[in-house]
Amino acid sequence: VLSCRLYCEEEKDPKRRSCQTVLAEALDIVVRSFAPILPHLAEEVFQHLPYKKDSEGVFRTGWINASSRWKKPGIEEAVEGACAMRDSFLGSISGKNALEYEVIIVIEPGLLFELMEALQAEESSSLSQLNEIMMASQTTLLSELPKEIPADANIIKGTFLINLEGGDIREESSYKVIALPTAKAKCPRCRRYTSDSSSTPCPRCLKVIAGKGST
C-alpha cells in the first residue's frame, strides 16, 4: 500500500501526500517515545528530518502531542473489518500473488457495509483504500451475490464484530469474499494487473506520466 502510493501516484497527489503525513506523524511519536532512554539516537533522528529545518531538538519541543484530528469514529473498525476480509481472501489463494486476483466482497446492507463504503465509494475500484488493504488488483463491493459467478468460484464466508462508542454499539455482521483470477495484464509501471496490455501502462499510470510531461 505504501509503496504504491509513494512511488506510483503523482508527486502532489492527495493520496501520496496523506501517506507522507501519516509516516511523518508516526515517526515523530516513535522518536519522542524512546527519547528518554535513547537520547542521542532520538536527537540524531530529529536533527536529520528533512521537513523540520532549524529545529530546536526533540527535548525542547515537548512530549508527544497527537492531534485530535486523527480520531475519526468508525475508521479503526472499518480498517479492522477490511483486514479480516483480506485475511479470508489471502487464505483462499494459498500463497499466490494477490495482485493476480480480483475480489468481490458481499455484505448485506447494514453497519459493516456502511463502514466499507467509507473505504470505497464506488462499486468497483482498483485505486480505493479498500482495494489497497485487500492487496488485490480490483475490489468490488456488493450487497448481494452477483447473478453470474463461475461454477468453480470459492466463496469464503466470515463474520466480523463491530464495536463502536465504547461498546454501546455492537453488531456482528457476516460477509462473503470471492476471489477471481483477473483478466487484465500487468502494468509495466505499477506492477498491478490493471492494464489492457503488458506493454502499456494502466490508465492511472498513463495519467500520472502525462501529468509529469506537462510540468
Side-chain angles (χ1 to χ4, degrees):
V1 175
L2 294 180
S3 61
C4 187
R5 285 195 177 198
L6 290 173
Y7 301 116
C8 297
E9 298 291 353
E10 194 172 356
E11 182 180 0
K12 295 183 179 180
D13 188 282
K15 289 184 179 180
R16 183 175 185 274
R17 296 304 298 271
S18 65
C19 181
Q20 291 177 310
T21 299
V22 171
L23 290 174
E25 184 75 8
L27 180 61
D28 185 88
I29 291 176
V30 169
V31 172
R32 293 182 192 278
S33 297
F34 66 65
I37 56 175
L38 296 171
H40 298 294
L41 176 59
E43 187 64 27
E44 183 176 1
V45 171
F46 213 78
Q47 292 296 335
H48 284 82
L49 295 177
Y51 48 86
K52 282 186 178 293
K53 296 181 180 179
D54 301 323
S55 172
E56 295 182 0
V58 66
F59 294 102
R60 294 186 178 183
T61 52
W63 184 234
I64 297 171
N65 185 24
S67 172
S68 59
R69 66 182 178 176
W70 297 106
K71 298 179 181 180
K72 295 185 177 180
I75 290 296
E76 181 179 355
E77 286 71 20
V79 172
E80 288 181 351
C83 287
M85 297 174 199
R86 179 193 61 196
D87 292 343
S88 297
F89 160 54
L90 295 178
S92 72
I93 61 176
S94 303
K96 297 179 181 178
N97 185 0
L99 289 174
E100 296 180 3
Y101 289 84
E102 297 179 8
V103 175
I104 299 176
I105 299 174
V106 182
I107 309 171
E108 293 184 358
L111 185 54
L112 182 59
F113 188 87
E114 293 175 3
L115 290 175
M116 293 305 105
E117 281 189 314
L119 300 177
Q120 178 170 301
E122 310 90 342
E123 183 176 283
S124 297
S125 177
S126 60
L127 302 175
S128 68
Q129 296 180 71
L130 178 58
N131 188 64
E132 289 182 340
I133 294 173
M134 295 302 294
M135 300 168 61
S137 278
Q138 178 175 288
T139 296
T140 299
L141 180 62
L142 302 174
S143 59
E144 58 183 15
L145 283 172
K147 295 180 179 179
E148 297 183 3
I149 302 178
D152 58 347
N154 185 18
I155 302 177
I156 305 97
K157 299 180 180 180
T159 60
F160 180 74
L161 178 62
I162 301 170
N163 192 340
L164 292 171
E165 304 294 336
D168 291 339
I169 301 176
R170 292 173 62 88
E171 179 178 304
E172 187 172 51
S173 301
S174 59
Y175 63 83
K176 299 181 180 70
V177 176
I178 307 170
L180 302 173
T182 182
K184 294 284 188 176
K186 181 192 287 187
C187 172
R189 182 175 181 272
C190 69
R191 305 298 181 182
R192 289 191 174 188
Y193 288 77
T194 51
S195 180
D196 294 328
S197 169
S198 59
S199 60
T200 306
C202 65
R204 185 271 302 273
C205 287
L206 284 173
K207 182 179 179 181
V208 173
I209 293 171
K212 286 183 178 180
S214 61
T215 56

